Amino acid sequence: MAIIKPFKGIRPPKDLVELVESRPYDVLNSEEARAEAGDNEKSLYHIIKPEINFEPGTSEYDPRVYESAAENFRKFQENGWLKQDDKEQYYIYAQTMNGKTQYGLVVGAYVNDYMTGVIKKHELTRRDKEEDRMKHVRVCNANIEPVFFAYPDNEVLNELLMRYAATSPEYDFIAPIDGFRHQFWVVSDDQDIATITAEFAKMPSLYIADGHHRSAAAALVGAEKAKQNPNHTGKEEYNYFMAVCFQASQLTILDYNRVVKDLNGLTSDQFLDALTKNFEVIDIDAINVNVSGDEEGIPCYEKMAIDDAISQFGLDILKPAALHSFLLYLDGKWYGLFAKPGTYDDADPIGVLDVDISSRLILDEILGIKDLRSDKRIDFVGGLRGLGELKRRVDSGEMKMALALHPVSMQQIMDIADSGKIMPPKATWFEPKLRSGLIIHKLD
């Protein structure tokens, strides 16, 4: 059963939250972080992207960079830009994207649950990325950024969340760049705290949705500190790490698409012909697109070419319609690909995935791309960029072809995690991303 605990969060005063908060460290590069931080000395980027505190070009793995993170974490607390709550409590973090709100509980997740598999993962991690985050956790002695968990839907917790959602939040702001709404409540009532702890104790598993490297790093540092402490009791704060836990049914997973530099020596006609072995290939001239709405919000429909829809409406409305269907962009044209029966196994939690089908039958078999993590001929486009970004990168000549996939479902992720299997690389893109800087967890 899942063990969690409340904790004394470190967080910004209400009037400073929008100056402190930031995007997560791993969704932008150093120069983007430098630009976003600008002359704002209160930006969390000075802690989570501390290479911006040095000359441009300074490696993010420079030992001085990690020390700068710790120095700035101390500075933020000394200046009152971050303050620790007096009481151990839970927190609620809500995100609203395109009119849909998901409510997460911010908890201390148990390190041993990660080690024993109660907290389940669905992706492989790289040791170099784990070590980078471990250094950051060690030097700061804190989980500066939360990890992103999912849990099976729970009516008791949902009622509690909705009760808090009807009250005035501690924080409430629209974030720059993503334009999404972020709200935050403090759960200090002892009965509510006890209810949350008890309901999680009934859950056989929690699931890492996003942040596998951060989860591994946080748990490994906690285990490391336990081993190094001769007076370890199991009750120390380092036995827990910070996670935001959402009900599985509320989460939004977007498509994670592929762009490829070449056709492995094939002409376009040869490539399309090779696809017919395992796919029905259809030349798409036009599709039905929701193009507008009248003053009362009633949608109007119009037949139009994909490229016209892309140029006029930003194309996130255009997606592969169902499992085992794909959109291919090649030589200025869109094609529909439909996997033939027998090319996938609906009874296999991995074999049923479109990321597996496309990896096996297109990227590997035809294009010779064996390792999605290391092959320089392939790149990935996720999140809200839509088909427009795929078209742009091919039309620019940077890439030869693009492949759009139907998104993976949360149920598929949970099935894979429960089976003990690992998803193919670059399979999931969760949106919206958690904002950093709303809450921090110290390890002592």
Side-chain angles (χ1 to χ4, degrees):
M1 301 296 111
I3 297 173
I4 63 166
K5 72 178 289 291
F7 64 96
K8 297 177 181 179
I10 297 177
R11 54 195 184 86
K14 184 182 294 189
D15 62 332
L16 297 183
V17 65
E18 293 185 69
L19 290 172
V20 173
E21 66 89 23
S22 73
R23 292 197 281 165
Y25 86 100
D26 55 352
V27 302
L28 75 171
N29 62 35
S30 301
E31 291 315 305
E32 289 171 328
R34 190 185 302 276
E36 287 187 28
D39 59 1
N40 175 16
E41 62 178 345
K42 299 180 180 67
S43 170
L44 196 77
Y45 289 130
H46 293 292
I47 301 174
I48 63 170
K49 299 288 286 183
E51 65 271 19
I52 72 171
N53 303 325
F54 298 88
E55 290 297 315
T58 301
S59 170
E60 58 193 292
Y61 307 115
D62 188 311
R64 297 174 301 157
V65 167
Y66 295 103
E67 289 300 327
S68 178
E71 291 169 9
N72 278 293
F73 184 36
R74 287 192 292 270
K75 173 184 172 182
F76 275 48
Q77 294 173 83
E78 291 167 358
N79 289 350
W81 304 342
L82 291 171
K83 296 182 178 181
Q84 186 165 28
D85 289 327
D86 295 329
K87 178 181 180 178
E88 289 193 340
Q89 50 206 358
Y90 292 118
Y91 305 87
I92 296 171
Y93 174 26
Q95 303 169 298
T96 302
M97 178 182 76
N98 300 333
K100 176 185 174 183
T101 302
Q102 57 192 35
Y103 296 88
L105 284 160
V106 189
V107 308
Y110 191 35
V111 165
N112 198 50
D113 279 355
Y114 180 89
M115 298 303 187
T116 59
V118 172
I119 296 171
K120 295 189 174 184
K121 47 187 178 284
H122 64 266
E123 289 182 5
L124 295 173
T125 55
R126 285 173 40 183
R127 184 59 189 175
D128 60 335
K129 289 191 173 184
E130 285 181 13
E131 184 58 34
D132 165 53
R133 286 302 92 189
M134 289 175 71
K135 289 178 180 178
H136 196 273
V137 174
R138 285 190 198 108
V139 74
C140 293
N141 197 38
N143 309 130
I144 303 294
E145 299 181 273
V147 296
F148 188 162
F149 284 2
Y151 64 89
D153 286 13
N154 180 294
E155 188 57 38
V156 173
L157 292 178
N158 189 60
E159 289 178 2
L160 183 149
L161 289 166
M162 292 304 98
R163 174 158 50 83
Y164 275 84
T167 66
S168 178
E170 178 77 2
Y171 306 144
D172 189 350
F173 62 93
I174 305 296
I177 298 182
D178 68 22
F180 304 141
R181 186 181 186 185
H182 301 266
Q183 297 168 288
F184 192 87
W185 292 263
V186 177
V187 181
S188 58
D189 179 82
D190 289 339
Q191 184 173 341
D192 288 339
I193 290 172
T195 295
I196 293 168
T197 305
E199 289 303 312
F200 272 83
K202 299 174 184 177
M203 300 176 190
S205 302
L206 299 176
Y207 300 85
I208 301 173
D210 204 4
H212 280 74
H213 289 97
R214 268 170 285 172
S215 297
L220 288 170
V221 170
E224 182 180 85
K225 290 174 80 69
K227 188 175 181 180
Q228 294 170 348
N229 182 3
N231 300 312
H232 173 75
T233 66
K235 297 181 179 180
E236 297 86 355
E237 200 64 30
Y238 59 67
N239 292 291
Y240 297 84
F241 62 98
M242 182 170 60
V244 185
C245 305
F246 293 88
Q247 293 190 92
S249 65
Q250 290 188 352
L251 297 179
T252 299
I253 308 176
L254 301 182
D255 44 311
Y256 210 172
N257 303 317
R258 284 82 169 106
V259 286
V260 181
K261 289 182 180 293
D262 62 69
L263 299 181
N264 198 28
L266 300 175
T267 66
S268 295
D269 286 341
Q270 289 171 332
F271 174 64
L272 290 169
D273 184 62
L275 287 171
T276 61
K277 173 185 174 183
N278 294 307
F279 299 87
E280 297 292 339
V281 181
I282 297 176
D283 185 347
I284 301 176
D285 292 319
I287 63 170
N288 285 317
V289 179
N290 179 357
V291 298
S292 64
D294 63 19
E295 292 182 356
E296 296 180 355
I298 299 173
C300 304
Y301 292 86
E302 175 181 316
K303 191 86 163 178
M304 73 179 346
I306 287 184
D307 284 352
D308 291 340
I310 286 172
S311 63
Q312 292 186 46
F313 302 105
L315 18 140
D316 52 329
I317 49 179
L318 303 168
K319 302 290 181 187
L323 282 173
H324 314 327
S325 67
F326 307 81
L327 282 175
L328 167 70
Y329 187 67
L330 176 68
D331 295 340
K333 296 182 68 174
W334 290 96
Y335 298 85
L337 308 181
F338 302 89
K340 293 179 179 179
T343 60
Y344 52 87
D345 181 1
D346 282 332
D348 180 353
I350 297 291
V352 72
L353 298 176
D354 287 348
V355 289
D356 180 71
I357 295 169
S358 59
S359 294
R360 286 188 295 107
L361 303 181
I362 301 176
L363 301 177
D364 184 349
E365 183 174 315
I366 301 176
L367 298 177
I369 296 173
K370 307 292 184 182
D371 187 345
L372 299 187
R373 286 187 175 87
S374 62
D375 199 306
K376 303 300 184 184
R377 297 166 54 215
I378 189 169
D379 199 4
F380 306 89
V381 179
L384 302 175
R385 294 177 182 269
L387 302 189
E389 180 67 4
L390 302 185
K391 182 178 187 297
R392 184 194 68 78
R393 295 186 68 174
V394 173
D395 287 348
S396 71
E398 176 196 2
M399 297 291 178
K400 177 61 179 177
M401 58 84 78
L403 190 67
L405 282 62
H406 190 74
V408 173
S409 71
M410 193 63 224
Q411 187 59 56
Q412 287 177 316
I413 290 175
M414 293 167 71
D415 288 344
I416 289 167
D418 286 339
S419 73
K421 295 184 177 182
I422 296 297
M423 295 187 73
K426 308 293 186 180
T428 58
W429 184 278
F430 286 86
E431 201 73 56
K433 300 295 184 185
L434 302 177
R435 301 298 288 194
S436 297
L438 306 187
I439 184 78
I440 291 170
H441 170 244
K442 286 191 74 172
L443 301 187
D444 57 18

